[in-house]
Amino acid sequence: MKLKNHRGLIFLMLLLLIPLIIDSNYLYSTLVIIGLYAIIVQGLGILMGYAGQVSFGHAAFFGLGGYSAAILTTQFNWPSLLALLASVILPGMIALLIGRQTLKLRELYLALATLSFGILVHIFFNEGGELTGGPSGISGIPDLSIGGFSFDNDLKFYILVWILVLLLLIGIYNLVHSRTGRALCSIRESEYAAENAGIDCARLKLQAFIFSALLAGLAGGLYAFFVTFISPSPFSFHTSVQFVLMAVIGGLGTFWGPVIGAAVVVAINELLREIVPILIPGAGGEYQIIIYGIILVGLMIFQPKGLSSITQYFRLPLRKELKTGVK
């Protein structure tokens, strides 16, 4: 990246230093979850925003990463760092196996195939017996330790996760502006035209699918070490839908979209959890879901290109000034 393109990253880094002044484990834990979701949505952004493929099965890859780390550390006594590496590799290998077949499908059929895969994996988590712990899950997951340094509190984990988010943002920026990124964009615009131009669309779509699965597995492994307990509930179809919503709300094919989308969706969930019981005493979770849906639909109606497109309203006056010389 050129120096001028670092301004946004520098701003984000400074913004992330603000919570360090506030001693709040709740704030740290919320930011960790946002960071983990942002990692997943970055992969989905490549798959959906550039390769033009829709997946409703990424909660399965997220869960496979989490369960891999949990099982290897609690049942096989693997070192946490090695288990984290395995939590990245396993989803990637499974994505390679199923991607060869599912990516031959298009549009609605591809979405249904990934949805079916996600449901099957979620059933496995629930019915896996002693291996997965069934509905009760797996507890006693050790802290993540790298070179003798243990990430044993929320603050340390917060710093680790957001360093990874920043590194991935830089890496994906360079990928998108490379020859491969331009080829992916051409597939999104017209797969037929890309094929006629000599681009191996099947290979690139498979690589994008595997890459997104690797990031989901990484987030899943980190999630397991962060909460030190894992169960099937966070990896349901509802979570897959949320990931897709984060990608769409943030803005497909945009630099800041994954971070913005993850932050907005998590913030809405947290605010509704606190506000709805106050506004509607005795209200159950169904009211939260209804209000949550209305907010998301409103966002998609008024900002169909994603919230990251809001920046164009700030750039436009500046561009006019530069062109006309009038303030």
Side-chain angles (χ1 to χ4, degrees):
M1 297 175 66
K2 297 179 180 179
L3 182 60
K4 65 179 182 179
N5 293 321
H6 280 298
R7 294 175 182 173
L9 289 177
I10 293 173
F11 173 75
L12 181 58
M13 292 174 68
L14 293 174
L15 184 65
L16 294 175
L17 290 176
I18 295 176
L20 303 183
I21 305 173
I22 306 172
D23 188 12
S24 171
N25 287 332
Y26 172 75
L27 179 60
Y28 297 148
S29 62
T30 302
L31 288 172
V32 167
I33 296 300
I34 291 174
L36 294 177
Y37 287 172
I39 290 173
I40 299 171
V41 179
Q42 284 181 74
L44 266 180
I46 293 294
L47 183 64
M48 296 174 59
Y50 293 95
Q53 308 301 305
V54 179
S55 171
F56 285 104
H58 267 59
F61 295 123
F62 182 42
L64 286 169
Y67 270 93
S68 297
I71 292 170
L72 291 174
T73 53
T74 59
Q75 300 182 23
F76 296 95
N77 297 316
W78 279 35
S80 58
L81 184 58
L82 192 59
L84 180 62
L85 180 62
S87 72
V88 178
I89 294 174
L90 178 62
M93 293 175 62
I94 294 177
L96 173 62
L97 293 175
I98 68 171
R100 291 182 180 275
Q101 303 301 321
T102 57
L103 292 178
K104 294 178 182 178
L105 303 173
R106 297 175 187 270
E107 299 175 354
L108 178 62
Y109 299 102
L110 174 62
L112 290 175
T114 55
L115 169 61
S116 301
F117 166 71
I119 292 173
L120 287 173
V121 172
H122 189 253
I123 292 173
F124 168 71
F125 293 156
N126 271 297
E127 306 296 334
E130 294 183 0
L131 181 63
T132 63
S136 300
I138 301 173
S139 59
I141 302 172
D143 295 321
L144 177 63
S145 180
I146 300 177
F149 182 83
S150 180
F151 294 88
D152 54 3
N153 61 50
D154 293 348
L155 175 58
K156 293 178 182 178
F157 227 96
Y158 157 76
I159 295 173
L160 170 66
V161 167
W162 280 96
I163 286 175
L164 290 174
V165 171
L166 291 171
L167 291 176
L168 285 169
L169 282 171
I170 295 172
I172 290 175
Y173 178 90
N174 290 324
L175 171 65
V176 168
H177 289 80
S178 68
R179 183 177 181 180
T180 301
R182 290 190 291 272
L184 284 171
C185 290
S186 67
I187 294 175
R188 176 189 61 188
E189 297 301 327
S190 174
E191 187 172 338
Y192 297 107
E195 288 176 349
N196 291 330
I199 296 173
D200 189 345
C201 297
R203 179 179 60 84
L204 283 175
K205 288 193 296 183
L206 180 60
Q207 289 177 348
F209 188 60
I210 293 172
F211 177 71
S212 65
L214 291 173
L215 292 190
L218 172 62
L222 291 170
Y223 175 81
F225 288 119
F226 176 62
V227 300
T228 66
F229 167 77
I230 203 163
S231 65
S233 56
F235 313 114
S236 64
F237 166 68
H238 173 70
T239 305
S240 287
V241 173
Q242 278 202 323
F243 291 153
V244 174
L245 284 173
M246 290 175 189
V248 173
I249 288 172
L252 291 174
T254 61
F255 182 76
W256 293 109
V259 177
I260 295 173
V264 168
V265 172
V266 171
I268 291 174
N269 281 328
E270 292 298 318
L271 287 173
L272 290 179
R273 187 178 294 113
E274 298 293 330
I275 294 175
V276 171
I278 297 175
L279 297 177
I280 311 175
E286 65 276 7
Y287 286 94
Q288 296 181 27
I289 294 174
I290 292 171
I291 298 174
Y292 174 73
I294 292 172
I295 293 173
L296 294 183
V297 169
L299 288 173
M300 296 179 71
I301 290 175
F302 293 104
Q303 287 296 133
K305 294 183 179 180
L307 292 177
S308 60
S309 64
I310 292 176
T311 55
Q312 69 183 347
Y313 300 118
F314 301 99
R315 293 177 182 176
L316 185 59
L318 178 60
R319 289 177 179 174
K320 288 182 177 179
E321 289 178 12
L322 292 175
K323 288 181 179 179
T324 62
V326 179
K327 294 185 180 181

